[in-house]
Amino acid sequence: MSQVIAVLHDKGGCAKTTTVVNLGFALWLLGKKVLLVDTDPQCNLTDTVDKTVHKEADSTIYEWLHDDSVRANLPLPIYTRYDGLDYIPGSHSMSNINAELQLMYSREHRLSDFLDIVDPDTNLPIRQMYDYIFIDCPPSLGVITTNALTASNSVIIPVQCEFFALEGITQLLKTIMLAQKTLNPTLDIEGVLLTMLDSRTNLGFEVAEEIRK
């Protein structure tokens, strides 16, 4: 059974995409089968894994989350970077997804339902095809982040070691606890990942200590 891990923070620039890419590639090098999912409208994960895909991809995560009718017309948006390392490209159109899903029934479960789709080549649900699935979340607490929390087994929270990170993490933890209470009671917090520590100053170490507390 695969581990689905959301990597999220509602603040940009805290190394979410870097974390997903490096964890994914490291586990792949250890022989694990890995899927990387790009739900951020900036599509930095997609560009990092394969810069050419936006010119070629007919099917991205966007089409499969916002419109059920595409399932009859488009292939699953799973692309192979290396044997055993796959990715689902993002789309700049994901910036519109909050409004498009607003009135949709069970909108918080769209991504989870997508991972339960059976791949016609393997006859397995997508989530059972991999050892690890990493979801790169947008820097917001909108409906896509809620979808990621609903679909995942656990969460990694990258936090930059700077003062303003302390202000955001409290609200983020409240959001995760609300998701645990109302949508996904088995969701675990894998941990807080401290990033971009400037070891030349005391401030970074003080922030790291406060976050640990």
Side-chain angles (χ1 to χ4, degrees), residues 87-137:
Y87 66 98
I88 295 179
S91 168
H92 298 303
S93 297
M94 287 291 285
S95 58
N96 304 319
I97 202 78
N98 284 336
E100 292 173 346
L101 295 186
Q102 196 63 39
L103 299 178
M104 195 169 286
Y105 176 74
S106 195
R107 61 183 180 272
E108 298 91 353
H109 296 268
R110 302 288 293 177
L111 183 54
S112 182
D113 291 344
F114 168 77
L115 293 178
D116 288 331
I117 293 174
V118 175
D119 176 75
D121 295 327
T122 63
N123 289 319
L124 291 172
I126 294 171
R127 69 169 75 241
Q128 292 184 20
M129 293 165 53
Y130 301 92
D131 297 306
Y132 291 92
I133 299 174
F134 290 98
I135 303 172
D136 187 16
C137 297

Side-chain angles (χ1 to χ4, degrees), residues 76-89:
L76 284 172
I78 299 175
Y79 297 78
T80 298
R81 185 65 179 91
Y82 300 109
D83 185 27
L85 180 65
D86 295 344
Y87 66 98
I88 295 179

